[in-house]
Amino acid sequence: MSSTTPSRRDLANAIRALSMDAVQQAKSGHPGAPMGMADIAEVLWNDFMVHNPANPNWLDRDRFVLSNGHGSMLIYSLLHLTGYELPLNELKNFRQLHAKTPGHPEYGYAPGIETTTGPLGQGITNAVGMAIAEKALAAQFNRDGHNIVDHRTWVFLGDGCLMEGISHEACSLAGTLGLGKLVAFYDDNGISIDGEVDGWFTDDTVKRFESYGWQVIPKVDGHDPEEIALAIETAVRETDKPTLICCKTVIGFGSPNKGGKESCHGSPLGEEEIVLTRERLGWSHGSFEIPDDIYAGWNAKDKGAAAENDWQARFEAYRAAHPELANELIRRDSGELPADFSAKADAYIQQCQQSGDSIASRKASQNSLNAYGPLLPELLGGSADLAGSNLTLWQDCQGLDANDASGNYIYYGVREFGMSAMMNGIALHGGFIPYGATFLVFMEYARNAVRMAALMKLRSIFVYTHDSIGVGEDGPTHQPIEQLTALRATPGLNTWRPCDTVESAVAWKQALLAARPSALIFSRQSLAHQPRTAEQVDAITKGAYVLADCDGEPDLILIATGSEVGVAVEAAEQLSDKKVRVVSMPCAEVFEQQDQAYRDDVLPPAVRKRIAIEAAHKDYWHKYVGLDGRVIGMDRFGESAPGGVLMKEFGFTVENAVAVARELL
């Protein structure tokens, strides 16, 4: 083994070697981006990024996001080389079952992975959310002489991320909010899967980002460490604007026959080409072989420990000066809710049951925010330009802007997808529970960000109002049909559709307590209050419960959610000659998590006469009504007319429910 001090290029070549070896062994992957961005990564991680491999969750660490997540061997190599708990065997198991090194970086697998990336454009958008969270947390907690929240968010991204529309949404808002601690490196290699991007991507990226309000550093040689370092120093000096560093690179740098070509983007180089690449790079070591001096050159443990120890000393001084703030910061970073939250939320829920208000559930949602918001300073809300319709503003909301980030509400603008992915970034950063809203039909714009929240098990709360054909005159473009089914089909997502103020308050409480994302579905139209016992109120938390019952085993079970629960209750009353049970099912996912005994108690298997009533697509409900049951639902798009007229037109009436029941019985 060599004992000489390795050069910067030697250190960068370690990334290239590990990346091409791992991809070759897996027989799949993307070696081009890691090889092309290795020099940028070496300068950033060794000279500028503040992190501690021994404590990947240190509160004030810098965040690093690989937005072009297909280049995952870049970050796996960095984590391994700098000293994180990611042994070489995990790199050798790249893309294999249960490895910590899946094909795209996945949050929760390897330490140091800040977010799951791969769907292009979402990584940079997560990073914007992280930078928002840092700026807001700093504004809320830092005091004179105590900059206890003071870290940066670094992002690598490529042409694909910039082509995705979500990057426009996020980067536009990043400039408006003056996120000066956000620095993005654009890997300008001119290559995507289909070849040279000049045929389909000729944007003037510099002018585009300058128009957003970013500092742009153009024409940086991405293989020249001195130019890279100078660009980063310039970025760090700019405190009022995010920075885009445009780095010209060669994809697959070092590969004699595939470098600069699409052939190294998403395929192994091949054994013969790897031999030639080693020769070209002057890398004389074997497959997965890293010399000790290279490891020593990369090792960030001592520097990371020193950085965290320095911060800890500063935090103790902060704690001495501001003990309550220090304790609150630690609590919020841990994700724990205030100790008295649950009891106070329960008291509010009981108040709702006693008041008996019949209002739109979107208004009930706002009332819940007014009750819970003062208890939860970590709530960071927002809406995609629909605050007045979604009713997401509560009495103590204060907007967050470039000059004052101490607020608790983000005006996201018409950016549903961007909002949702930024919320995920905020949740990943820690210190906040994000909620954001739009109309349910526009969930489709944000679908993949909702999916990513579920994949990462984030406490992101997606608020969707105007939940059915009850929207009325705005017509089928604004009337959701299939969206509830899509949400419910998403693993790891709780979808709540409450029927009145009480279920709305419970839905909000459960979403705030959940260790997973939630979608809260609220109506535009008023919903009748439902009488309940204390036991029934408690049972709402189980996702489904018996709201109205009969003596003995029922002849018929009516299952409903949201605005149709009232229809089911009235229909049961008119079927007084039959034994009818009404089940309200505000959250099927939570119901499915209950034990079999409870589920069978609510929906006895022997009772096969069942009707589900919901003003959404029919297909979901067959799992509960079976082959002998019926579904009163939607199997076509809506129409433009007053909401009440449409409910009658499509059969969401007591009369139709009674008629279907008598036919079934």
Side-chain angles (χ1 to χ4, degrees):
M1 296 289 184
S2 171
S3 60
T4 60
T5 302
S7 68
R8 284 193 177 277
R9 180 55 55 82
D10 291 333
L11 296 174
N13 284 344
I15 296 174
R16 297 184 171 103
L18 288 172
S19 297
M20 64 184 181
D21 288 344
V23 171
Q24 186 64 36
Q25 180 148 311
K27 297 182 174 60
S28 71
H30 301 76
M35 296 174 73
M37 300 191 81
D39 294 305
I40 308 168
E42 188 278 320
V43 175
L44 174 63
W45 279 62
N46 280 328
D47 290 3
F48 292 93
M49 206 168 88
V50 180
H51 63 114
N52 184 6
N55 184 8
N57 298 317
W58 168 31
L59 185 153
D60 203 41
R61 70 192 181 278
D62 285 358
R63 272 62 169 179
F64 175 79
V65 174
L66 183 68
S67 190
N68 45 344
H70 54 269
S72 56
M73 271 309 304
L74 174 66
I75 192 166
Y76 298 148
S77 299
L78 288 164
L79 294 171
H80 170 71
L81 291 167
T82 55
Y84 286 77
E85 282 294 322
L86 192 66
L88 192 61
N89 279 341
E90 291 291 348
L91 275 62
K92 292 179 179 179
N93 286 330
F94 179 53
R95 288 184 160 232
Q96 305 310 302
L97 184 63
H98 302 314
K100 293 182 179 180
T101 50
H104 291 80
E106 293 191 36
Y107 177 70
Y109 279 58
I113 301 294
E114 300 284 1
T115 181
T116 298
T117 56
L120 294 177
Q122 286 199 65
I124 175 62
T125 310
N126 293 162
V128 171
M130 293 175 187
I132 291 173
E134 191 277 341
K135 184 167 184 171
L137 207 65
Q140 291 179 14
F141 283 94
N142 288 351
R143 294 295 183 268
D144 288 344
H146 298 281
N147 286 335
I148 210 64
V149 179
D150 184 13
H151 53 267
R152 301 184 185 281
T153 303
W154 310 93
V155 193
F156 281 9
L157 53 84
D159 294 299
C161 289
L162 293 183
M163 283 186 261
E164 288 285 358
I166 189 174
S167 73
H168 297 255
E169 298 181 24
C171 295
S172 169
L173 188 60
T176 299
L177 294 179
L179 303 180
K181 291 180 182 172
L182 173 65
V183 180
F185 297 82
Y186 167 33
D187 180 30
D188 183 11
N189 60 36
I191 297 292
S192 65
I193 291 175
D194 284 348
E196 296 182 7
V197 301
D198 285 349
W200 48 86
F201 184 53
T202 57
D203 298 11
D204 189 327
T205 299
V206 172
K207 288 182 179 178
R208 170 186 160 189
F209 275 78
E210 286 177 343
S211 74
Y212 291 156
W214 288 54
Q215 172 183 229
V216 182
I217 304 173
K219 299 179 180 178
V220 174
D221 183 343
H223 302 297
D224 184 331
E226 291 185 2
E227 281 196 32
I228 296 165
L230 182 61
I232 297 174
E233 289 167 359
T234 303
V236 168
R237 285 195 298 270
E238 175 55 71
T239 59
D240 296 328
K241 297 179 179 181
T243 296
L244 180 71
I245 301 175
C246 301
C247 297
K248 197 66 182 175
T249 65
V250 176
I251 190 172
F253 181 91
S255 172
N257 299 303
K258 297 187 176 183
K261 300 176 181 177
E262 65 272 16
S263 57
C264 70
H265 170 86
S267 301
L269 295 183
E271 296 289 358
E272 292 183 4
E273 186 67 14
I274 287 177
V275 170
L276 296 175
T277 304
R278 277 185 157 78
E279 292 176 359
R280 172 71 64 86
L281 294 174
W283 186 263
S284 59
H285 316 290
S287 178
F288 292 106
E289 181 185 337
I290 304 296
D292 290 343
D293 59 343
I294 297 291
Y295 274 126
W298 273 106
N299 194 315
K301 288 182 178 179
D302 290 345
K303 186 165 61 174
E308 184 173 356
N309 288 339
D310 174 70
W311 178 84
Q312 193 64 48
R314 291 187 286 113
F315 182 77
E316 292 307 321
Y318 175 72
R319 190 197 296 273
H322 306 283
E324 291 184 3
L325 280 175
N327 291 335
E328 177 70 0
L329 177 59
I330 293 300
R331 179 193 71 77
R332 284 174 54 173
D333 185 60
S334 74
E336 294 294 326
L337 298 186
D340 60 352
F341 169 74
S342 189
K344 289 184 176 179
D346 287 342
Y348 172 69
I349 291 165
Q350 291 298 328
Q351 178 185 328
C352 290
Q353 184 61 40
Q354 293 166 7
S355 67
D357 290 337
S358 294
I359 56 178
S361 56
R362 62 171 173 162
K363 180 60 179 176
S365 168
Q366 186 179 48
N367 290 348
S368 296
L369 284 168
N370 276 316
Y372 300 156
L375 309 175
L376 299 171
E378 57 263 54
L379 270 184
L380 186 57
S383 174
D385 202 50
L386 289 169
S389 295
N390 300 145
L391 302 186
T392 45
L393 286 166
W394 53 281
Q395 59 195 7
D396 292 330
C397 274
Q398 176 187 338
L400 185 153
D401 61 40
N403 298 316
D404 183 0
S406 63
N408 58 3
Y409 195 86
I410 301 170
Y411 290 92
Y412 284 104
V414 187
R415 300 179 175 100
E416 295 88 355
F417 193 6
M419 172 186 73
S420 302
M422 281 184 260
M423 287 166 55
N424 290 344
I426 291 167
L428 286 159
H429 179 278
F432 294 100
I433 300 174
Y435 71 89
T438 186
F439 291 167
L440 177 56
V441 73
F442 300 135
M443 178 278 294
E444 299 291 349
Y445 283 149
R447 176 80 180 92
N448 201 261
V450 177
R451 183 178 190 271
M452 295 297 282
L455 188 63
M456 290 188 274
K457 302 179 179 66
L458 303 179
R459 186 162 44 177
S460 295
I461 301 176
F462 303 100
V463 177
Y464 300 120
T465 68
H466 296 59
D467 68 345
S468 71
I469 55 171
V471 170
E473 293 88 342
D474 279 340
T477 61
H478 283 55
Q479 294 165 4
I481 303 298
E482 70 276 24
Q483 285 73 22
L484 272 171
T485 298
L487 289 169
R488 289 172 176 146
T490 305
L493 175 71
N494 290 344
T495 300
W496 290 85
R497 188 175 185 244
C499 76
D500 65 0
T501 57
V502 179
E503 286 191 0
S504 297
V506 171
W508 261 110
K509 179 193 172 187
Q510 295 306 112
L512 289 162
L513 291 173
R516 64 196 305 185
S518 299
L520 305 183
I521 316 299
F522 298 119
S523 72
R524 177 193 184 194
Q525 69 272 29
S526 292
L527 306 181
H529 171 77
Q530 300 299 328
R532 296 177 185 83
T533 65
E535 291 75 17
Q536 286 174 313
V537 172
D538 290 341
I540 297 171
T541 62
K542 296 182 178 180
Y545 63 103
V546 178
L547 179 61
D549 210 0
C550 56
D551 293 328
E553 185 174 276
D555 302 318
L556 172 70
I557 299 176
L558 300 178
I559 309 169
T561 78
S563 51
E564 288 68 67
V565 169
V567 172
V569 170
E570 290 189 45
E573 292 171 353
Q574 293 196 17
L575 291 164
S576 57
D577 56 320
K578 303 292 183 182
K579 294 182 178 180
V580 181
R581 169 178 291 184
V582 177
V583 171
S584 176
M585 191 178 288
C587 186
E589 297 81 15
V590 169
F591 178 62
E592 293 294 339
Q593 295 165 26
Q594 307 307 310
D595 60 41
Q596 190 66 50
Y598 179 79
R599 286 182 282 151
D600 288 348
D601 188 52
V602 174
L603 297 174
V607 182
R608 303 181 68 180
K609 304 292 187 181
R610 304 179 183 185
I611 300 173
I613 312 171
E614 185 178 64
H617 203 286
K618 292 180 176 181
D619 281 2
Y620 179 80
W621 289 103
H622 291 291
K623 67 184 288 187
Y624 291 112
V625 302
L627 297 177
D628 298 320
R630 300 284 188 274
V631 181
I632 300 174
M634 299 291 294
D635 56 12
R636 51 160 289 196
F637 295 118
E639 301 284 350
S640 178
V645 172
L646 291 175
M647 287 297 188
K648 183 176 181 180
E649 172 72 14
F650 288 99
F652 299 103
T653 63
V654 175
E655 295 75 17
N656 186 52
V658 169
V660 173
R662 294 207 178 277
E663 178 187 332
L664 182 62
L665 292 167

